[in-house]
Amino acid sequence: MLGSFAGLGAFGALAAAGCSAPSGAASGQTRLRYWHLFGGGDGANMTAMLDAFQAEHPDIDLEAATLQWGSPYYTKLGMAGAGGRAPEVAALHLARLAGFAPGRLLDAFDLDLLAEHGVTAADFPVDLWRRGAVDGVQYAVPLDTHPMVLYYNTDVCERAGLLDGDGRLRPVEGADAFAEAVRAAGEVTGGPGLVAETLGADTIGPWRMFNTFYAQTGGQLLTEDGTRIAIDDAKALTVLRYMRRLTEEGLCVERADYQGSVGIFAAGETGFFLNGEWEVTTYLNTGLPFSMARVPNLFGTAATQADCHAFVLPHQTGRGGASNEAAHAFVAWMLTHSVDWAAGGHVPAYLPTLEEPDYLAMRPQSEYREVIDEVVLDPQVWFAGSASRLWIELGAVFAGVLTGSRTPEDGLAEARSRLQELLDTPSPFGETA
């Protein structure tokens, strides 16, 4: 975890020892190093895009490194940035930006240089672009958003009378209506109609479910400045009681870890699955009859929990010159070719891609593209974002609510306690520069 770092002095020593400067590129080429954390289907898509970029840019010597997902990746990236000897460009989860010391571990983008390659702020949803800025300086450029979505088995849902004439899920509005749709699917399968991740080591699914439903109520987790808890107890309890209702009434599988939840839906045992959209490749490869939709509006809006992959420029001492220009050219190219990235289920953040015929023909990946305007990222604090302490600690708390080992009231009290502990813990990076 980022929170385990003792301080920036340790970063600098480790970075100097483990991230030495590279040797020169081939004659006439500009060396461009890129670090990312994409594996599985995402990794295959990324590799194909990198190969295409390299083929079109023979003057750039692209060196891509795939590092271990989660905390190990961010540890290494932080060490490299602290030592000023980082790669030219890297991937970062956007919700982690506030905790990654922009101005100290990250360098700012040159927006004029990015514009020379055809990419400007107007090409992105306003809120996502703003999340990449700190104090008006752009430190991250979003590649996509990867939201919580609703998978549905088209055979099960057709038999349950839940599909329209085009074979799509009929609109569902309200918590009771969703419960009834799930119940109808369960009557077809002879068991729970819904599956989601509810438990497991470092479980995050329960947090993502809570945050989706709580965001729909309009509730806030923290104050805008990220310094105090702002939970609306009434709204939070409404959500937590609903989550417990789903499992207690047998509508949702009560005990399923992440891989178990993926397998249960793959086996056709449920009609619905709440998860991130990245499992689309899994199900396309199995031939499962399924489609996907945005999470229904259960509590007032159609907001949904999400994070975003983004590009950042890790801090380099003396950043500039041909390598920095290559980094900007690379980011722009990846964005303007992000229809290929969308195959893995992520919704491209580069808005022109959403209108490309090749993307619109991509089913079910384009079925939930409208969610781009209603995704909810974590508060802008150092302990938030994918694989963060926030996700894991609150995931464990809300897992207890789903499985019945905690009451909703106990879950809320414990969530408040853990949030306060995180707020009272200083950021390992201190303030931004």
Side-chain angles (χ1 to χ4, degrees):
M1 287 297 157
L2 290 177
S4 66
F5 293 134
L8 289 173
F11 285 153
L14 288 168
C19 301
S20 59
S23 58
S27 177
Q29 287 186 306
T30 298
R31 173 160 295 185
L32 176 65
R33 292 164 297 167
Y34 167 51
W35 286 5
H36 67 86
L37 69 175
F38 302 116
D42 278 351
N45 290 336
M46 178 58 66
T47 297
M49 293 175 71
L50 296 178
D51 289 345
F53 173 83
Q54 183 66 90
E56 291 186 23
H57 298 81
D59 57 325
I60 294 176
D61 178 25
L62 175 64
E63 293 183 357
T66 307
L67 307 181
Q68 185 178 348
W69 194 92
S71 182
Y73 175 78
Y74 287 113
T75 299
K76 188 171 180 66
L77 188 61
M79 286 163 33
R85 302 165 73 92
E88 282 69 40
V89 65
L92 184 94
H93 285 98
L94 190 56
R96 273 187 172 264
L97 180 65
F100 226 76
R104 186 174 298 172
L105 300 185
L106 301 175
D107 294 332
F109 276 90
D110 181 333
L111 298 187
D112 291 335
L113 186 53
L114 205 59
E116 288 180 18
H117 293 283
V119 172
T120 70
D123 295 321
F124 301 87
V126 173
D127 288 342
L128 290 189
W129 180 260
R130 286 176 178 166
R131 279 300 296 262
V134 176
D135 296 330
V137 179
Q138 202 72 29
Y139 287 98
V141 174
L143 169 63
D144 65 38
T145 185
H146 40 286
M148 177 83 89
V149 296
L150 183 67
Y151 296 77
Y152 59 98
N153 184 305
T154 51
D155 282 355
V156 170
C157 288
E158 181 177 24
R159 291 165 61 191
L162 299 173
L163 303 186
D164 64 18
D166 295 323
R168 292 183 172 89
L169 187 68
R170 288 196 179 111
V172 176
E173 292 282 336
D176 289 338
F178 181 64
E180 290 310 308
V182 170
R183 194 184 310 277
E187 290 173 356
V188 172
T189 61
L194 171 68
V195 67
E197 177 190 11
T198 63
L199 52 77
D202 291 342
T203 184
I204 59 175
W207 151 253
R208 294 171 60 239
M209 183 189 297
F210 169 83
N211 200 28
T212 291
F213 293 159
Y214 182 63
Q216 292 188 353
T217 71
Q220 297 287 323
L221 197 69
L222 301 176
T223 54
E224 288 298 325
D225 61 4
T227 62
R228 299 187 310 281
I229 295 172
I231 294 175
D232 183 312
D233 286 358
K235 291 177 178 178
L237 283 174
T238 294
V239 168
L240 290 170
R241 287 166 181 160
Y242 184 75
M243 289 167 60
R244 181 55 187 149
R245 172 191 171 188
L246 291 174
T247 51
E248 191 171 41
E249 293 184 7
L251 299 174
C252 179
V253 176
E254 187 173 80
R255 303 183 67 83
D257 64 12
Y258 186 86
Q259 292 302 328
S261 66
V262 172
I264 287 169
F265 186 71
E269 296 178 24
T270 64
F272 295 104
F273 181 30
L274 275 172
N275 193 22
E277 33 64 38
W278 49 82
E279 292 294 346
V280 61
T281 306
T282 299
Y283 299 129
L284 288 172
N285 289 337
T286 65
L288 181 76
F290 83 103
S291 191
M292 300 158 72
R294 55 189 302 178
V295 177
N297 172 6
L298 306 190
F299 295 102
T301 72
T304 189
Q305 184 275 339
D307 204 341
C308 302
H309 296 120
F311 293 111
V312 293
L313 306 177
H315 175 60
Q316 291 183 331
T317 302
R319 173 179 284 279
S323 62
N324 188 52
E325 184 169 351
H328 285 72
F330 171 79
V331 169
W333 189 94
M334 296 293 282
L335 293 167
T336 56
H337 292 75
S338 56
V339 67
D340 298 319
W341 183 243
H346 309 314
V347 182
Y350 183 67
L351 293 175
T353 301
L354 301 183
E355 303 302 323
E356 290 189 27
D358 286 349
Y359 175 69
L360 294 174
M362 198 178 288
R363 303 287 177 84
Q365 292 93 329
S366 65
E367 294 287 342
Y368 47 89
R369 62 189 182 278
E370 292 87 357
V371 76
I372 193 75
D373 293 320
E374 292 187 84
V375 294
V376 176
L377 275 64
D378 289 358
Q380 299 182 63
V381 289
W382 71 266
F383 51 81
S386 294
S388 66
R389 290 181 60 179
L390 174 70
W391 287 31
I392 291 172
E393 294 202 22
L394 295 196
V397 172
F398 298 142
V401 175
L402 285 166
T403 60
S405 64
R406 293 182 188 274
T407 66
E409 292 75 14
D410 289 343
L412 176 57
E414 181 64 16
R416 278 184 164 275
S417 175
R418 296 200 185 191
L419 264 178
Q420 191 59 55
E421 288 179 7
L422 290 170
L423 286 169
D424 292 342
T425 303
S427 166
F429 303 124
E431 299 298 324
T432 59

